[in-house]
Amino acid sequence: MKNKKNLGIYIHIPFCMQKCVYCDFLSAPAGEDVKRKYIEALVCEINITCGLYNDRLSGYQVKTIFFGGGTPSAVKPEYIRDIMKCLNEHFDIAEGAEVTIECNPGTLDINKADIYRECGINRISFGLQSADNTELKMLGRIHTFEQFKESLSIAEKAGFDNINVDIMSALPGQTMESYKRTVEKVLECNVKHISAYSLIVEEGTPLYDRLDTDYPELPDEDTERQMYYYTQDSLASAGYVHYEISNYARPGYECRHNVSYWERTDYLGFGVGAASLFEEIRHTNITDINMYIDKCGGMINAGSCMDNNVTAGNYNRLYEIYDDIQKLSLNDRMEEFMFLGLRKIDGISKAEFEKTFSKNIADVYGKVIQENVLNGLLVDDGDVIKLTDRGVDISNVVMADFLL
């Protein structure tokens, strides 16, 4: 079929070696038996989903796949290979599709890297966070900067050229000088992509609960903004393109999977807590891993999605792992178009808005846009709307204005 629509796939691997003090993601350490049962359940979810969506999926081609977590590299590489085999059996995966796996430094060896390459993974994202070993220990990270360098070397020797490194600013006790050293050391690695996030202290994490008693003071707001602008300037000088609020890439190495989220491309998420957007329906899987394994376990003997023994009962069990299903209204879609699109440094095309919704953007958001332009938070050049530097500083506030 010509002119197939683009589709992304997200695979959630919820296991890690040790929970970091700032982490509120759906992840935790687990034994081998739980990991094995989870992978079996996840593969089964993929199979039954393909059976459910079979006719509709024939009109899509997968352009990006992303293994996130947790720490996908914390499970046996054979499990990742099994998942990739299942995806290749049931989806039309484009030649040259971007296939990413997240790795924590210290969890990658040459055997894993080779298996990843052999099964089609072509991009690795390392969660470094800091090049300062004292900061890493304080965060509960399992690795040192030296171990990150070893993992990076392993990935490069295995043939990985497209590599991302995550770093974090505004950490407890972090100074402008220590953050500069992290940026400088990462730049020396000459990777293709850098994601630079500012720490958000999430309620319910150990860091939130003990911040006032067990951790150094957080940098003040002015220092946090200085760190952001230092990142912008340093990475621009080194040849990186700042294409999204927190993301920088060598030209041509932007993370296509994340860009698809900001552009509202259809995607299917598999695994506990995974989210999907498919044909203007959003749904999220249940977040209880034991319940997820139990529900999907009832479908393990259902066979391939191409087999006749995939029954209506199995479809019903599949729906039982969906925790939230939302059919998006026109207003929902326009809101998402705006607050996701404004994350991109290039902003939002007015013509694309009209093409997508058959509405002039000024008729829907004219007053909001005008107010934010007058307040110095948005730029409107007639064709494109985008955040100013000041708008980026309070981007969440600006984006909230676009809720209808």
Side-chain angles (χ1 to χ4, degrees):
M1 180 187 295
K2 295 182 179 179
N3 301 320
K4 287 189 173 185
K5 291 182 281 188
N6 294 343
L7 182 70
I9 292 175
Y10 174 76
I11 305 292
H12 189 66
I13 308 295
F15 307 114
C16 55
M17 308 300 289
Q18 174 179 292
K19 191 81 168 175
C20 298
V21 299
Y22 60 86
C23 180
D24 71 335
F25 293 160
L26 183 56
S27 62
E32 188 56 38
D33 185 56
V34 172
K35 292 178 181 178
R36 177 184 56 79
K37 290 179 179 178
Y38 177 79
I39 299 300
E40 290 176 351
L42 192 150
V43 168
C44 192
E45 183 196 353
I46 296 171
N47 284 337
I48 305 303
T49 299
C50 286
L52 184 62
Y53 292 153
N54 189 33
D55 292 339
R56 291 147 72 188
L57 287 175
S58 64
Y60 290 83
Q61 185 175 60
V62 174
K63 295 297 183 71
T64 66
I65 300 171
F66 197 102
F67 287 81
T71 305
S73 55
V75 303
K76 292 179 179 179
E78 291 81 8
Y79 292 160
I80 303 298
R81 182 170 58 195
D82 289 345
I83 295 169
M84 283 298 297
K85 181 175 182 290
C86 181
L87 294 176
N88 276 289
E89 287 175 352
H90 301 320
F91 290 94
D92 175 12
I93 299 178
E95 185 177 351
E98 176 193 88
V99 187
T100 303
I101 188 165
E102 290 184 334
C103 294
N104 262 5
T107 64
L108 185 68
D109 57 41
I110 192 62
N111 178 57
K112 284 182 181 178
D114 285 342
I115 290 177
Y116 294 161
R117 288 285 294 169
E118 289 166 7
C119 70
I121 293 172
N122 52 29
R123 185 175 184 270
I124 285 185
S125 179
F126 284 113
L128 170 60
Q129 314 313 354
S130 173
D132 185 302
N133 288 338
T134 300
E135 291 176 355
L136 291 173
K137 185 176 181 180
M138 179 266 300
L139 292 173
R141 303 295 290 172
I142 65 167
H143 62 88
T144 63
F145 179 68
E146 291 72 26
Q147 287 173 311
F148 159 74
K149 292 294 291 290
E150 291 172 10
S151 295
L152 179 62
S153 177
I154 289 169
E156 291 172 340
K157 286 178 181 176
F160 284 94
D161 174 57
N162 193 355
I163 296 174
N164 169 66
V165 176
D166 288 347
I167 59 175
M168 295 180 73
S169 60
L171 304 177
Q174 190 177 50
T175 64
M176 194 67 206
E177 289 69 30
S178 70
Y179 181 67
K180 285 182 178 180
R181 287 194 294 272
T182 286
V183 173
E184 290 163 2
K185 288 182 177 180
V186 170
L187 285 174
E188 290 172 1
C189 297
N190 197 30
V191 294
K192 293 297 194 294
H193 193 284
I194 298 173
S195 297
Y197 302 104
S198 181
L199 173 69
I200 298 174
V201 181
E202 300 284 2
E203 189 172 354
T205 62
L207 181 59
Y208 180 93
D209 294 336
R210 307 198 309 268
L211 182 61
D212 294 335
T213 57
D214 295 353
Y215 295 96
E217 189 175 354
L218 293 169
D220 60 33
E221 188 175 334
D222 288 342
T223 303
E224 181 179 349
R225 298 320 301 163
Q226 288 174 21
M227 290 174 175
Y228 181 82
Y229 293 129
Y230 176 80
T231 307
Q232 275 188 318
D233 295 342
S234 298
L235 271 58
S237 298
Y240 289 85
V241 177
H242 187 194
Y243 70 99
E244 189 270 344
I245 289 176
S246 302
N247 287 277
Y248 305 78
R250 299 288 189 196
Y253 285 90
E254 295 83 358
C255 179
R256 285 149 50 192
H257 187 81
N258 285 344
V259 169
S260 72
Y261 288 154
W262 305 320
E263 295 181 347
R264 299 191 71 255
T265 301
D266 286 294
Y267 64 92
L268 292 174
F270 299 104
V272 64
S276 300
L277 170 64
F278 190 68
E279 297 181 347
E280 302 303 351
I281 294 177
R282 286 196 179 276
H283 73 257
T284 305
N285 286 354
I286 55 178
T287 58
D288 185 306
I289 188 169
N290 293 319
M291 187 180 297
Y292 174 84
I293 291 172
D294 178 63
K295 296 291 186 185
C296 292
M299 303 185 286
I300 283 177
N301 295 320
S304 164
C305 69
M306 303 306 175
D307 292 341
N308 292 327
N309 58 348
V310 178
T311 66
N314 287 320
Y315 291 154
N316 290 337
R317 291 201 69 135
L318 179 67
Y319 283 119
E320 288 178 11
I321 71 167
Y322 294 167
D323 187 47
D324 181 47
I325 302 175
Q326 179 189 12
K327 174 67 176 177
L328 299 179
S329 66
L330 175 62
N331 280 0
D332 292 331
R333 303 198 303 271
M334 289 191 296
E335 289 172 355
E336 289 187 358
F337 184 96
M338 297 303 294
F339 64 70
L340 291 173
L342 283 173
R343 293 195 61 86
K344 298 183 294 181
I345 299 303
D346 288 343
I348 288 169
S349 162
K350 291 182 176 182
E352 189 64 28
F353 183 96
E354 185 163 357
K355 178 183 175 182
T356 302
F357 302 111
S358 301
K359 289 179 177 288
N360 188 305
I361 196 170
D363 294 337
V364 182
Y365 286 116
K367 182 178 179 181
V368 172
I369 292 169
Q370 184 179 26
E371 288 177 352
N372 278 281
V373 168
L374 290 173
N375 290 331
L377 303 176
L378 286 178
V379 171
D380 181 353
D381 69 2
D383 298 318
V384 171
I385 300 162
K386 59 184 178 181
L387 293 170
T388 63
D389 286 344
R390 184 163 168 249
V392 170
D393 289 346
I394 55 170
S395 58
N396 288 340
V397 175
V398 178
M399 293 170 189
D401 285 347
F402 289 90
L403 298 176
L404 294 169

